[in-house]
Amino acid sequence: MGRKTILFLFAAVLMAYNAYTPVPDGIEEPWRLVWEMTQMKMMTDLVWMAELLGINHFMDSMVFLMSLHNVPPTSDENVDVMDTTFNSVPVRVYVPKRQSETLRRGLFFIHGGGWCLGSAAYSPYDVLSRRTADRLNAVVVSTNYRLAPKHHFPSQFEDVYNALRWFLQQDVLSNYGVDPERVGVSGDSAGGNLAAAVTQQLIKDPDVKIKLKIQALIYPALQALDLDLPSYRENSHGPILSRSVMVRFWSEYFTTDQSLEKSMLFNQHVPMESTHLFKFVNWSSWLPERFKKGHIYKNPVPGSSELGKKYPGFLDVRASPLLADDNILRHLPLTYIITCQYDVLRDDGLMYVTRLQNAGVQVTLDHIENGFHGAFSLHKLKISNRLENKYMRWLMENL
Ligand SMILES: *[C@@H]1O[C@H](CO)[C@@H](O)[C@H](O)[C@H]1NC(C)=O
């Protein structure tokens, strides 16, 4: 039997197996979600299988499948859309068409996709940026960045930071008719991670004079040290984002060497020399009581020093913004965070809320009880609309 035949048989078995996927209680439109999950699960399982059989690298197949949903920059009756570069980084810019008597808001948006996937051109992101520009009368810059596994940390961070620094220049803002007092950063998932990281970096950067007014983080990933938080335990099989896929994304961000992925799966990747950092991600200290229920805190077991030496990225504050100390946090702008109950990344967001509040930063948390990771981008589901409305309302009032 050829490898392609095996793949085909595997697909048939998967289809039968995945046709019934339980979803958590209280989720609205469960059948639509089951349908979305079935498609996604089949896709990732097939892609995984193709990798095991040596046909194609997991991320290469995923990039290809997602790129089928990319759209060209197309202006509509409300918004002008164009692709350009900021500091050599490709970005897509959305400018409202209607006349504006005042300067506009500016929003710098960073897409998600586990640092490996996604693009400003990906249809759900294109739609979101278009609507944001129109509804908020804002100039939206949706940035691209180099992706793993071809490029590892800190390339992603640096691209985003370089594009943002370009945007935050007085003459660039005024070219686009943006009010320098009303510029914000936003991102979802890995984009939320990059948004939090660049917002912290700006505080340390004396060359940038224009300050951000807000940061908005949609189910962000904020630390790679403890991958056994209650939210990882409760949602290890999804919906949408499973623990194993998240671990794969985290490890690919730093290296394609699978020894890091393996250690991360066992939560034994932080070397002994760095165990003092655990206090920054100690869910026993930072999670609100109700999210700790039924869980017992275990100090993660220290791993080999070699991993930490070879791939210091996962211990870097630019990859794990929760590692920042209060002296930095206290200078952060007004913050908006969305967390979803059924999401491995839920507790990253919740811990950041506590840490920011303790540092005196004003934070609005929208915790979505029946939400799940990726809900924002599933435009066919009602929940996507509900999240988007909350997000837009907050931006309307605060940006
Ligand atoms: C985490 O916090 C708990 C209680 O707040 C404490 O007992 C434990 O030693 C802490 N662990 C680390 C590694 O900071």
Side-chain angles (χ1 to χ4, degrees), residues 275-276 278-280 282-285 292 297 299-300:
T275 48
H276 63 283
F278 281 135
K279 66 173 184 287
F280 291 113
N282 188 337
W283 61 264
S284 176
S285 322
K292 295 192 213 169
Y297 184 81
N299 289 338

Side-chain angles (χ1 to χ4, degrees), residues 34-198:
V34 165
W35 175 234
E36 294 287 338
M37 279 166 59
T38 303
Q39 294 176 69
M40 213 161 311
K41 184 106 193 335
M42 288 224 8
M43 190 171 89
T44 43
D45 284 355
L46 275 178
V47 162
W48 224 304
M49 189 67 187
E51 180 172 77
L52 281 176
L53 294 172
I55 296 172
N56 208 1
H57 186 281
F58 180 82
M59 290 303 169
D60 289 342
S61 313
M62 292 292 284
V63 164
F64 169 73
L65 290 169
M66 277 185 76
S67 70
L68 300 175
H69 299 277
N70 286 356
V71 293
T74 311
S75 301
D76 60 28
E77 68 269 31
N78 301 317
V79 183
D80 274 323
V81 183
M82 68 225 94
D83 281 349
T84 179
T85 56
F86 278 11
N87 234 346
S88 319
V89 178
V91 298
R92 184 168 288 192
V93 185
Y94 302 78
V95 182
K97 273 195 169 134
R98 62 173 180 272
Q99 293 293 324
S100 181
E101 269 148 43
T102 53
L103 291 172
R104 293 189 162 97
R105 299 174 167 103
L107 187 69
F108 186 88
F109 181 79
I110 310 161
H111 71 77
W115 308 276
C116 298
L117 309 170
S119 159
Y122 183 59
S123 164
Y125 290 125
D126 183 74
V127 168
L128 176 66
S129 296
R130 201 177 278 280
R131 286 198 205 129
T132 313
D134 188 35
R135 284 175 72 173
L136 298 177
N137 189 27
V139 172
V140 177
V141 174
S142 180
T143 192
N144 287 298
Y145 46 90
R146 283 170 291 169
L147 299 172
K150 217 183 243 154
H151 304 277
H152 296 291
F153 174 86
S155 302
Q156 288 77 347
F157 170 88
E158 282 172 352
D159 285 357
V160 171
Y161 195 58
N162 285 332
L164 176 59
R165 280 172 49 117
W166 182 266
F167 188 46
L168 290 178
Q169 297 176 92
Q170 189 61 59
D171 53 337
V172 174
L173 291 177
S174 76
N175 269 345
Y176 283 105
V178 172
D179 183 345
E181 313 251 298
R182 301 179 84 181
V183 183
V185 162
S186 164
D188 72 315
S189 194
N193 167 274
L194 291 161
V198 294

Side-chain angles (χ1 to χ4, degrees), residues 43 144 157 162 188 190 204 214 241-242 249 281 299 331 385:
M43 190 171 89
N144 287 298
F157 170 88
N162 285 332
D188 72 315
K204 301 178 235 170
I214 62 104
L241 180 65
S242 65
F249 281 143
V281 298
N299 289 338
H331 300 290
N385 216 281

Side-chain angles (χ1 to χ4, degrees), residues 115 153 157 193-194 196-197 200 221-227 250 253-254 264 269 277 280-281 312-325 348 352 355:
W115 308 276
F153 174 86
F157 170 88
N193 167 274
L194 291 161
Q200 289 184 2
L222 296 168
Q223 58 88 27
L225 278 76
D226 188 353
L227 306 178
W250 266 128
Y253 191 15
F254 309 108
M264 281 181 161
H269 51 293
L277 297 175
F280 291 113
V281 298
F314 66 89
L315 302 166
D316 193 306
V317 69
R318 294 169 300 165
S320 294
L322 262 165
L323 297 180
D325 70 52
D348 284 17
Y352 207 40
R355 298 246 1 249

